[in-house]
Amino acid sequence: GAGRRRRRVRPDGLLGMVSAIHTHPAARAFATDSAGDDGPNAGWAAVFPFATIAKILLAQVLVSLLK
């Protein structure tokens, strides 16, 4: 995929990043079990804070637009 070619991200780290974008801890647990190492956890830790902040900001924008 694009993440591996452009950013040279390992596939297990990419799984963690995708699960963090969706803020879904069960997906991270599945990716960690499947990978057998901490690659998904590292990807999750790199992306999760930004994904959470983006969701909060998006919710505030939507509320202000719907008023």
Side-chain angles (χ1 to χ4, degrees):
R4 289 198 57 204
R5 282 188 287 244
R6 292 187 182 157
R7 303 284 182 211
R8 295 192 174 111
V9 177
R10 290 179 31 192
D12 54 350
L14 198 58
L15 287 172
M17 289 178 184
V18 170
S19 62
I21 288 171
H22 295 286
T23 58
H24 202 284
R28 179 185 54 103
F30 177 77
T32 303
D33 288 343
S34 297
D37 63 0
D38 279 341
N41 290 332
W44 171 277
V47 175
F48 183 74
F50 300 109
T52 303
I53 291 169
K55 284 186 175 189
I56 292 169
L57 292 176
L58 180 63
Q60 289 178 349
V61 168
L62 288 174
V63 166
S64 67
L65 288 175
L66 295 175
K67 276 187 171 181

